[in-house]
Amino acid sequence: MHQQALLNRIWSQVLLEELTRFGVEHICVAPGSRSTPLTLEADANAKLTMHTHFDERGLGFLALGLAKASNKPVAIVVTSGTAVANLLPAIAEAKLTGEKLVVLTADRPVELVGCGANQAIVQNGIYSNHVCGELQLPTPSEQVPLRWLLTSIDEQMFKQQRQGSAVHINCAFPEPLYSDLDKSVYQNYLDSVASWQASEDTFTKQLLGSSVYPFDLSQWQERKGLIMVGSVSYQEAQLAKQLSEKLAWPILCDPQSGESSDWAYYDAWLQTESGNALIEQTELVVQFGSRIVSKRFNQWLAKAGLKDGFEYHYVSPSLDRNNQDHLMQWHHAGDIAMWLEHALSQPFNKSNNWAEQGLKLSEKVAHCVNAQIATDTTLTELALSTTLKVLPDNTQVFLGNSLFVRMVDMFGQIAQPVYSNRGASGIDGLVATAAGTYRANNLPSVLYIGDTSLLYDLNSLALFTHAKQPCAIVVTNNDGGAIFDLLPVPQTQKQSLYQMPHGYQFASAAQQFNLGYCLATDLLAYQAKLEQHLTSGQGCLLIEVQTPAEQASNQIKTVIKNLHASL
C-alpha cells in the first residue's frame, strides 16, 4: 500500500523538477489532502519559492501577478473538486493577456470519478479553451516509463512557450497519500532517467528559428503617423517614445504602459471638435501591445480604419487576434523590444511635427483639471488621478478595473512600471494579482482599487499581512459601482441594480489583516503620507479615500464642459 504513496511522490518530484528547467521559480499552493504528493515535493525542491493562500481563487490571481511581473511561468497546486474550478477566473485572464501559468490539479483516480466518491468531479477539460494545453496524467505506475512523463510534460511546456497562457496538468493520485518509506525502494525506476537527473537541461530540446524584423521604415516617410502604446513593459514603452521622437510622430500612452507623453489626456481632448479635427489627419497608426483603455480612441480607430489608404499596424509577440473592429491590419508578430530596436537602428529623415496642436490641447485639459481641483476643499478622485506622476522613484503601480483607471486615462500621467488585469477586465482577484507583482519584484508598490473590487477580494488582504517592503493599497470608496454613472443604464434602477451601495468602510478590514490604515481627506496630507510610507515605511498601508456617490462622474462632466468652452 505504501508503495503507491512513493510512486505519487516520485512522479511529483520528476514533474516539478522538469518545470524548474522550463523557468518555473515560484509555486503557489493551497491546502488540501489529495495534492499532498505535489505539496511535499514542492516544499523539498530548493529551486522553488513557495507561496501559500487559503483561497484558491485568490491563489490563482496571486500566481497571475507573479507571472506578470517576473515574465516567467508560475506553477499552482490545488486539491481536487471545486478547488479546481476556483482557478478559472485567473486562467481566463491569463488566456487574454498571455501570462504563463502551470496549473497542477490533484485528482481522484479514474475509478473514483462519476461513481459518488467524495470530492470527485470531472476535472479533465474543465478549463475548456481557456488553456493552451492540457495533460491528463494516469495513476503513477512503474508500468508507465518516467520518460513518457517527461516527454508529455515537455510537449505542453513547449506549446506554452509558443502560445502563452496556462497549461493544465491533472494528476490522478490514488491513496495512500503519505508514507514514511524512502523513495530508494524505486531506485531502478528512478535510474531510468539518470542522465536527465544528472543534467540541468529539459528532457526534450526544441530549437526555434530566430526572429527577424525586415520591416523597412522608409515606406513611412512623409506619412502622418501616430504611435499608440498599450499594455507593454516599461522598457518597451520607453523605446516607443524614442521612436516617436525619431519619426516626429505624436505618441499616445495608455496608463498600462507606465509612460506618459506630451500628448497626454487624449481621452479627454478626443471628446472635443478640435481634438477630433487633429486626429482625423492621421494616415497611419502603429500600436504596440493590446487592451487600450480609452473608449474614445477605440471609437475613433474603428472609423478611421475604414478610410481608403489608412494603415493600422499592430506589434505584439502574441499570435492572437487583437482587432475588435475587424479592420485591415498588419500584425507584426514578434518581440516588441526587438522590433523597436530594429526600427531605431534604421536611417530616417525626421518630418515636421504634424500634430503639434495636440500639445496645446493637452495643456488646455490640464488647466481645466487644475481649476476644478481648486474648487474642492476635500480629496476627490479627480485630484487623486493626477498624483501618480509624483510617486517616488522605483515605485511600481497596479491599476484596478474601476472608474478610477478611466480617470487616470483622461487626466493622469504616469512614469512608473504599471500592471493591470485588462484582459477580461474583471474586478475579481485584483488584490491577489497585485500581491503577486509585489512579491515578484520586491519593490515599493501602490495598488489603486475601487471599493466594490476590494470587497470582492477582501480575503486576499491576507497576502499583504507579512509584507516587509513598503506598499500601499489606495481604495476609492464612493459606496458602490460609480462606473455606472458613465454607462447607459436605466436611471430609475441605476442605484439598486447596478451601483449597489453597500455602506461599508475599510478601517476594520485593515485591522483584521494587521495592515496600517489611513483615512485621507486632504490632497497634500495624502501625498505626504503616501510618500513617507513608500520611502521610509514598512509593510502595507491601506489608504481609504471616501467620496460622495456621483461626485467623480460629475467632475468628469464639468471638466469636459469647461474644456469645450475654452476651445
Side-chain angles (χ1 to χ4, degrees), residues 428-504:
D428 50 341
L430 295 173
V431 176
T433 310
T437 61
Y438 167 77
R439 293 185 182 194
N441 290 337
N442 197 31
L443 290 172
S445 305
V446 184
L447 162 63
Y448 295 91
I449 190 170
D451 51 328
T452 304
S453 299
L454 182 53
L455 288 171
Y456 205 123
D457 201 23
L458 201 63
N459 64 10
S460 290
L461 289 176
L463 297 170
F464 286 98
T465 296
H466 302 292
K468 299 299 182 185
Q469 187 75 255
C471 56
I473 298 173
V474 180
V475 54
T476 52
N477 187 355
N478 43 45
D479 196 23
I483 186 69
F484 294 105
D485 289 332
L486 301 180
L487 299 177
V489 299
Q491 290 301 303
T492 56
Q493 296 156 301
K494 180 177 70 172
Q495 187 178 77
S496 61
L497 298 183
Y498 295 91
Q499 291 177 327
M500 297 187 184
H502 47 75
Y504 301 130

Side-chain angles (χ1 to χ4, degrees), residues 120-428:
I121 67 172
V122 177
Q123 296 178 191
N124 189 25
I126 193 170
Y127 301 128
S128 184
N129 60 359
H130 297 292
V131 294
C132 70
E134 184 175 38
L135 175 59
Q136 181 75 24
L137 295 183
T139 292
S141 166
E142 280 187 281
Q143 277 60 59
V144 181
L146 289 175
R147 295 188 304 277
W148 174 87
L149 176 61
L150 286 164
T151 57
S152 299
I153 296 165
D154 293 353
E155 179 184 20
Q156 300 305 320
M157 296 304 292
F158 282 126
K159 187 183 298 183
Q160 183 182 67
Q161 285 184 348
R162 295 190 298 269
Q163 299 180 25
S165 74
V167 164
H168 178 205
I169 302 178
N170 196 52
C171 309
F173 294 132
E175 295 182 3
L177 302 168
Y178 311 89
S179 174
D180 294 329
L181 296 178
D182 191 273
K183 286 182 284 188
S184 60
V185 173
Y186 287 100
Q187 192 59 50
N188 290 339
Y189 187 49
L190 283 165
D191 285 345
S192 66
V193 290
S195 59
W196 164 79
Q197 287 182 302
S199 76
E200 296 182 355
D201 298 327
T202 58
F203 190 75
T204 310
K205 284 78 175 173
Q206 190 174 90
L207 301 178
L208 301 176
S210 60
S211 299
V212 180
Y213 301 94
F215 195 74
D216 183 4
L217 288 187
S218 64
Q219 59 188 288
W220 290 348
Q221 198 76 43
E222 305 305 325
R223 300 291 301 275
K224 291 183 176 179
L226 179 150
I227 293 174
M228 166 54 77
V229 188
S231 181
V232 299
S233 72
Y234 193 49
Q235 176 205 11
E236 291 164 348
Q238 291 174 318
L239 288 171
K241 288 187 72 173
Q242 292 179 34
L243 182 62
S244 76
E245 294 170 2
K246 179 184 179 74
L247 304 179
W249 286 359
I251 179 170
L252 309 183
C253 296
D254 186 276
Q256 300 167 91
S257 71
E259 272 287 3
S260 297
S261 76
D262 291 337
W263 289 267
Y265 321 122
Y266 55 88
D267 191 74
W269 56 252
L270 278 174
Q271 300 179 52
T272 68
E273 290 183 10
S274 299
N276 272 290
L278 174 67
I279 203 168
E280 282 295 330
Q281 301 176 50
T282 308
E283 301 169 344
L284 183 152
V285 167
V286 184
Q287 178 180 327
F288 297 98
S290 61
R291 308 291 169 184
I292 306 303
V293 170
S294 171
K295 182 179 292 187
R296 254 63 60 173
F297 177 82
N298 286 324
Q299 290 171 339
W300 168 77
L301 182 62
K303 296 177 182 178
L306 301 177
K307 295 190 298 186
D308 290 340
F310 185 88
E311 290 187 26
Y312 175 33
H313 294 257
Y314 173 61
V315 185
S316 171
S318 173
L319 297 177
D320 291 343
R321 176 172 51 174
N322 188 79
N323 190 357
Q324 63 183 2
D325 296 297
H326 311 292
L327 306 173
M328 290 185 64
Q329 182 192 70
W330 285 257
H331 183 172
H332 304 246
D335 182 89
I336 294 174
M338 292 179 67
W339 194 100
L340 284 162
E341 288 166 355
H342 173 79
L344 288 167
S345 70
Q346 295 185 41
F348 194 90
N349 296 324
K350 182 181 291 189
S351 56
N352 293 325
N353 191 339
W354 67 269
E356 195 169 6
Q357 176 64 24
L359 308 182
K360 298 179 181 178
L361 291 172
S362 296
E363 291 174 0
K364 289 282 188 181
V365 176
H367 176 77
C368 292
V369 169
N370 291 333
Q372 179 62 37
I373 291 173
T375 66
D376 295 298
T377 58
T378 59
L379 178 57
T380 67
E381 289 187 62
L382 176 65
L384 187 66
S385 71
T386 67
T387 63
L388 277 69
K389 63 182 177 182
V390 294
L391 288 172
D393 293 339
N394 298 318
T395 300
Q396 66 180 25
V397 170
F398 194 103
L399 288 173
N401 296 323
S402 63
L403 177 61
F404 187 72
V405 71
R406 298 194 177 277
M407 297 188 78
V408 172
D409 190 38
M410 280 188 275
F411 309 126
Q413 293 194 52
I414 306 177
Q416 297 87 15
V418 172
Y419 299 100
S420 65
N421 280 354
R422 295 295 296 180
S425 294
I427 65 169
D428 50 341

